[in-house]
Amino acid sequence: MRKKTQLIHGGITGDEKTGAVSVPIYQVSTYEQDGVGKHRGYEYSRTGNPTRFALEELIKELEGGHRGFAFGSGMAAITAVLMTFDKGDHVIFTDDVYGGTYRMVSKVINRFGLEASFVDTSDVDTVEAAVQANTKAIYVETPTNPLLKITDLKRVSELARAKGLTLIVDNTFSTPYWQNPIDLGADIVLHSATKYLGGHSDVVAGLVVVNSEELAEAVHFVLNSTGGILGPQDSWLLMRGIKTLGIRMEEIEANTKEFVSFLEGLPEVTKIYYPGLSSHKGSDIHHAQARGNGGMISFDVGSGEKADKVLRNVRYFTLAESLGAVESLISVPAMMTHASIPEDRRAELGITDGLIRVSIGLEDIEDLKEDFLAALRA
């Protein structure tokens, strides 16, 4: 089954009892049992819900994994995965990881004794050098947020296997339409499904796919114990969004390429980060492991003052701390999504005050170009 067909016909489709072509919303908390301990697959909706299960089966198939799980947010999904490790364990993270992930790891999960190092995972030798006796996992974003750095998933997965480590990949930017990390050796794939998978700025969700029953049992135990589940209404909305993921990603890809070409002609733009450019570091690796470049672009306009001027004057770019929606979004990572990262650390990574991140949507690309140019030169 090809991807576009799988988006619509994957997982559990329709309802056998009524013939409904859409999975019903099971707005229910508990289920009648036929006898003590004899249920019909469901006993309590924290443990499992038919609508949520349909979504979990869909993302499992899309990522080519063993089992899927749906959480109340991307951060809930990341937290649950990290809670499968023990006190004293060590995890290696991509250095310019999403600011919320950095905050949670450095200020919350560390309270429970999980140790972390943040390194440039695009350099596999650097990753190997960071492995300690207590290292249990490598956590990768590729492309990263916001500098779109590329990690060679095959090489990192080979390292992980050689060292007996779990490879965790945040696949939010590429989505399973463009990239499938499990096929490249990952053990766990994460999504902030709020973004491209939902696609319409109307649902907050997180998804996890694992490649083994052992990992499935570990993640489900945390999910059931801590209760960070996705509700049936949001599960249904997310399945509806996923059905159009293919056509959205292809149109966004076309718009993004044209917008990047437009940015290349602007003297005010000093640096562009986009894996679709041959000059982008790791572009060849990205194209070997992904089928598309996505809709994220970061670029530097020289100063925080210039960036602020752009944000104050755009009309069709929505100033917001999200991405992957039908509407184009714009932000300054240093002041927004990555403000939780210390200033000296941002400077070290290259997340300058003049760095703008845009998520290209489905508007007419000529309107987006005209809007940005007018804001830049207002």
Side-chain angles (χ1 to χ4, degrees):
M1 192 187 303
R2 294 170 178 82
K3 280 293 179 184
K4 281 185 180 176
T5 306
Q6 193 177 39
L7 292 169
I8 296 169
H9 295 283
I12 297 170
T13 57
D15 179 49
E16 290 184 2
K17 292 182 180 179
T18 64
V21 296
S22 176
V23 174
I25 298 173
Y26 285 90
Q27 192 66 55
V28 57
S29 62
T30 193
Y31 306 81
E32 181 183 6
Q33 299 189 17
D34 299 325
V36 177
K38 296 179 180 179
H39 56 77
R40 305 168 204 174
Y42 299 94
E43 51 189 320
Y44 191 61
S45 276
R46 172 164 43 81
T47 307
N49 173 279
T51 313
R52 188 171 85 239
F53 180 65
L55 169 63
E56 291 169 339
E57 286 290 283
L58 176 58
I59 192 61
K60 176 194 78 174
E61 290 191 17
L62 293 176
E63 284 291 11
H66 176 75
R67 191 169 171 188
F69 301 92
F71 292 84
S73 70
M75 288 311 306
I78 294 168
T79 302
V81 167
L82 294 180
M83 290 181 75
T84 64
F85 298 101
D86 296 323
K87 179 180 179 180
D89 287 347
H90 173 253
V91 180
I92 298 168
F93 288 83
T94 297
D95 55 2
D96 68 327
V97 72
Y98 166 57
T101 304
Y102 179 88
R103 177 179 58 221
M104 187 270 293
V105 171
S106 62
K107 297 185 181 297
V108 179
I109 205 78
N110 64 323
R111 300 176 188 175
F112 301 95
L114 187 71
E115 300 174 14
S117 297
F118 295 87
V119 306
D120 183 0
T121 57
S122 67
D123 184 338
V124 180
D125 292 336
T126 300
V127 178
E128 185 170 11
V131 176
Q132 303 172 179
N134 61 334
T135 302
K136 300 297 182 182
I138 304 170
Y139 183 111
V140 169
E141 282 183 14
T142 184
T144 62
N145 181 5
L147 298 177
L148 298 145
K149 291 163 70 174
I150 305 301
T151 293
D152 188 328
L153 292 178
K154 283 187 176 180
R155 288 192 62 200
V156 172
S157 69
E158 289 168 359
L159 171 64
R161 282 196 299 273
K163 300 289 185 179
L165 309 178
T166 300
L167 176 58
I168 306 164
V169 179
D170 185 329
N171 199 31
T172 298
F173 273 22
S174 286
T175 81
Y177 190 72
W178 288 140
Q179 181 173 268
N180 298 109
I182 288 177
D183 291 345
L184 299 165
D187 300 294
I188 301 176
V189 176
L190 296 159
H191 290 278
S192 174
T194 310
K195 312 305 193 295
Y196 286 109
L197 294 179
H200 293 77
S201 300
D202 55 10
V203 61
V204 174
L207 296 174
V208 173
V209 178
V210 300
N211 73 346
S212 71
E213 182 58 25
E214 181 183 4
L215 288 172
E217 290 178 0
V219 172
H220 185 263
F221 180 81
V222 173
L223 179 147
N224 191 43
S225 299
T226 58
I229 59 168
L230 188 65
Q233 295 272 353
D234 285 343
S235 296
W236 186 88
L237 274 174
L238 192 48
M239 283 188 287
R240 185 180 68 170
I242 288 173
K243 290 180 188 298
T244 62
L245 178 65
I247 58 172
R248 285 189 286 108
M249 293 307 291
E250 290 186 0
E251 184 68 16
I252 286 170
E253 177 97 350
N255 271 356
T256 305
K257 287 179 178 178
E258 189 163 343
F259 194 80
V260 168
S261 296
F262 160 73
L263 290 176
E264 289 183 293
L266 299 179
E268 296 92 341
V269 176
T270 60
K271 176 86 175 166
I272 302 172
Y273 301 90
Y274 176 64
L277 290 173
S278 59
S279 59
H280 185 84
K281 184 179 180 181
S283 174
D284 55 338
I285 295 170
H286 177 76
H287 291 143
Q289 65 190 19
R291 297 175 293 275
N293 300 300
M296 301 304 301
I297 317 165
S298 292
F299 51 93
D300 206 311
V301 293
S303 70
E305 291 78 15
K306 291 180 180 178
D308 182 63
K309 181 180 73 170
V310 171
L311 267 58
R312 284 187 285 105
N313 287 283
V314 287
R315 295 173 56 206
Y316 300 134
F317 285 90
T318 302
L319 176 61
E321 289 206 18
S322 193
L323 58 99
V326 293
E327 56 272 337
S328 293
L329 306 177
I330 190 168
S331 67
V332 175
M335 301 295 108
M336 299 172 72
T337 55
H338 290 67
S340 57
I341 297 177
E343 184 178 358
D344 58 342
R345 178 63 174 158
R346 293 199 304 267
E348 181 183 343
L349 294 172
I351 304 174
T352 66
D353 290 348
L355 186 73
I356 292 175
R357 190 194 74 180
V358 296
S359 169
I360 298 296
L362 299 179
E363 300 92 344
D364 189 296
I365 189 59
E366 295 303 321
D367 286 328
L368 294 179
K369 291 191 292 185
E370 290 169 5
D371 182 37
F372 182 81
L373 185 61
L376 182 66
R377 297 177 178 174

